[in-house]
């Protein structure tokens, strides 16, 4: 009833039957009974600014322009948005309440394709885990990943993986889930680079293998009812509330909450007598959810008008006192003080503490500048001015002689000078040496300074040659996707040498010029896609601050980026990204007005992989064969980075 005959015909032409999802028997219940369906319909209404009904092509257009922060759930994944937009463009339906189910079914078709690709990519790892056998831990899974691939954050946080540690400690109290189901789940967590898509894949995996998960959950001693017994405690007795049937329901509900919301899990556990009844119960609930589907109305928030800037009020003390003065003469005095604050000491020709006899007090630049009629000094030096050889109030001899022209130096080191052979109060040998080396004035005691420096050098390790560089220019805000991208150093490079890695049929050993003094060594599995002649002197795009790793005892110091389809399968196609013409080696990419790599100097390569895992799912080629990040062009010298023929595929 939700999908018109025309809509259903359009969906079938796209290769998808309304309401039927095949990649995972339980994908449809996951879509409708969890949040993806509601997230899609709400996001569609928001991106269309409430202009519903609209044509499907309009929704496809706004999906391509949307940022991840504008979307909910699965649509925060740029890959899902792009695939959904492609399918919507082929539909001849409108986005409206009567077609709400059809729009969700299109998302189901997209997820079906993506999950099939993910399952194909995990097949080699599943096979390797099965061959190894047993209960693998994190190190075991990481060791079986393809060379150069870092373990994903999703794998690191998967709850079932960390049961291996508990099982190793106490196999009786925590039995292991073994076999194909365990290996499939770990492979999905290891190979899925997108958190939203990984959450979908793992939830569907739980629903598809519900009986295996439930049997394992009920086998854990903590899920079983306690032995029927009564404890005599001086006439009192303790009853155990759960019998065997109740314990199974609780364990079953606990498994379901890994895929569905708590309230749905409770409803399914209540209606299903066993795991065999679950599909029919889920299908019934799914049908009810489809019958209630609609596109929520969206009203753009009214922008608030900026408040009128209030005129600054006069200082309460001066303003009130000025208004309350009885004579015009006193008002003039108050006005003069407000224009040029000062005190009797600061305005006097001779006042303040006198320096010690024989001590020469330098004529501070503040005094000469002030007396020469120049602009008034700011800060402390503009209030307390020197007069002749008299120290201004609040200064010591050392602080005055070492002060800056525009006021006192910041910090404690400008107040006290050394006394005899001792350090000034509050100083260590290192802090005094550092101040002595940078101060414009000399320490009061030359002999003390020499002794302090020599002691400081012998008592501490050498200082770092340079401070951590601070990024300059236009930089993105910390915590954003753009900030993660700008922490990756992506440059134009040129392959200078290309040779086969000894005893490795699929690996090339490359020397790549990225604008540094010496070329970088890169080990790359491009033998299947390019000949050595095609790679020699080829211009490429290089991810430079990758954590170095060894492949066949050769260190790989960078990674060459390429558009790749069907990665990890026999149908894999790979095309290297190409920089624009006449771009010199070492030129960094640009995106959204930022230089890609402007934050890389402050990043340690030890942990750079977590930013790559955050960025990579948003790297795609568009329909114009241009490289993009989250829908925005990647360019160099205002020209796009391109590929040859692969459109709408990920970049690795």
């Amino acid at each position: 009833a939700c999908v018109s005959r025309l809509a259903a015909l359009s969906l079938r032409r796209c290769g998808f039957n309304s309401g039927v999802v095949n990649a995972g028997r339980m994908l449809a219940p996951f879509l409708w009974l969890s949040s993806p369906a509601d997230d899609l319909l709400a996001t569609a209404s928001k991106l269309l600014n409430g202009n519903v009904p609209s044509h499907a092509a309009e929704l496809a257009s706004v999906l391509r322009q949307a940022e991840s922060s504008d979307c909910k759930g699965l649509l925060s994944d740029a890959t899902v948005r792009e695939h959904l937009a492609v399918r919507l463009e082929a539909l001849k339906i409108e986005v409206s309440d009567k077609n709400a189910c059809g729009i969700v079914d299109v998302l189901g078709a997209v997820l079906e394709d993506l999950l099939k690709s993910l399952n194909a990519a995990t097949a080699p790892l599943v096979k390797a885990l099965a061959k190894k056998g047993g209960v693998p831990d994190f190190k075991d899974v990481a060791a079986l990943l393809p060379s150069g691939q870092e373990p994903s954050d999703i794998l690191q946080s998967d709850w079932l993986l960390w049961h291996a540690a508990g099982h190793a400690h106490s196999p009786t109290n925590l039995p292991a889930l073994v076999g194909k189901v365990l290996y499939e789940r770990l492979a999905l967590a290891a190979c899925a680079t997108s958190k939203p898509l990984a959450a979908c894949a793992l939830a569907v995996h739980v629903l598809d293998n519900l009986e295996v998960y439930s049997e394992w959950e009920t086998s854990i001693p903590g899920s079983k009812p306690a032995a029927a017994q009564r404890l005599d405690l001086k006439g009192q007795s303790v009853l155990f509330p759960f019998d065997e049937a109740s314990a199974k329901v609780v364990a079953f509900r606990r498994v379901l909450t890994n895929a569905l919301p708590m309230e749905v899990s409770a409803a399914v556990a209540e209606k299903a007598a066993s795991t065999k009844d679950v599909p029919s119960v889920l299908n019934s609930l799914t049908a009810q959810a489809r019958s209630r589907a609609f596109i929520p109305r969206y009203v753009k928030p009214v922008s608030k008008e900026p408040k009128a800037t209030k005129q600054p009020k006069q200082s309460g003390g001066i303003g009130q006192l000025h208004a309350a003065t009885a004579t015009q003469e006193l008002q003039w005095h108050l006005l003069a003080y407000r224009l040029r604050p000062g005190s009797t000491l600061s305005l006097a020709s001779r006042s303040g503490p006198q320096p010690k006899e024989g001590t020469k007090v330098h004529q501070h630049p503040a005094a000469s500048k002030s007396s020469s009629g120049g602009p008034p000094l700011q800060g402390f030096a503009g209030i307390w001015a020197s007069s002749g050889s008299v120290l201004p109030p609040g200064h010591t001899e050392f602080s005055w002689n070492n002060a800056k022209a525009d006021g006192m130096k910041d910090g404690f080191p400008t107040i006290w000078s050394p006394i005899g052979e001792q350090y000034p109060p509050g100083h260590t040998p290192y802090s005094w040496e550092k101040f002595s080396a940078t101060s414009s004035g000399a320490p009061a005691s030359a002999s003390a300074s020499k002794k302090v420096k020599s002691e400081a050098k012998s008592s501490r390790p050498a200082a770092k040659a340079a401070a951590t560089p601070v990024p300059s220019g236009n930089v993105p805000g910390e915590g954003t996707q753009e900030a993660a991208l700008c922490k990756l150093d992506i440059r134009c490079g040129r392959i200078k040498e290309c040779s086969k890695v000894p005893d490795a049929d699929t690996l090339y050993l490359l020397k790549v010029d990225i604008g540094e003094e010496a070329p970088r060594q890169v080990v790359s599995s491009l033998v299947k896609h390019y000949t050595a002649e095609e790679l020699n002197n080829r211009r490429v795009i290089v991810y430079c601050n990758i954590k170095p790793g060894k492949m066949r005892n050769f260190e790989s110091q960078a990674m060459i980026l390429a558009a790749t389809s069907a990665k990890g399968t026999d149908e894999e196609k790979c095309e290297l990204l190409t920089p624009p013409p006449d771009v010199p080696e070492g030129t960094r990419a640009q995106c959204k007005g930022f230089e890609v790599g402007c934050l890389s100097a402050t990043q340690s390569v030890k942990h750079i992989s977590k930013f790559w895992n955050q960025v990579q799912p948003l790297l795609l080629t568009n329909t114009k064969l241009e490289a993009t990040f989250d829908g925005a062009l990647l360019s160099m010298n205002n020209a796009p980075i391109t590929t040859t023929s692969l459109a709408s595929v990920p970049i690795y």
Side-chain angles (χ1 to χ4, degrees), residues 359-362 396-403 409 413-420 424 427 432-450 452-453:
T359 301
K360 181 180 178 181
V361 179
H362 301 294
T396 66
E397 298 164 10
F398 183 72
S399 68
W400 179 247
N401 289 329
N402 288 277
K409 274 175 75 82
T414 63
I415 304 301
W416 306 104
S417 59
I419 301 174
H427 269 293
W432 178 243
E433 179 195 359
K434 186 175 180 182
F435 172 74
S436 301
T438 57
S439 173
S440 58
S445 171
S447 61
S449 175
K450 291 178 181 178
V452 166
K453 289 185 180 181

Side-chain angles (χ1 to χ4, degrees), residues 531-563:
T531 65
E533 291 73 19
E534 290 173 325
L535 292 178
N536 264 318
N537 208 38
R538 186 186 182 99
R539 299 168 68 251
V540 290
I541 300 298
V542 187
Y543 166 26
C544 301
N545 60 336
I546 189 173
K547 180 181 178 181
K550 283 194 174 183
M551 300 174 68
R552 296 297 180 97
N553 294 323
F554 289 92
E555 185 177 61
S556 187
Q557 302 165 336
M559 184 167 76
I560 299 177
L561 299 183

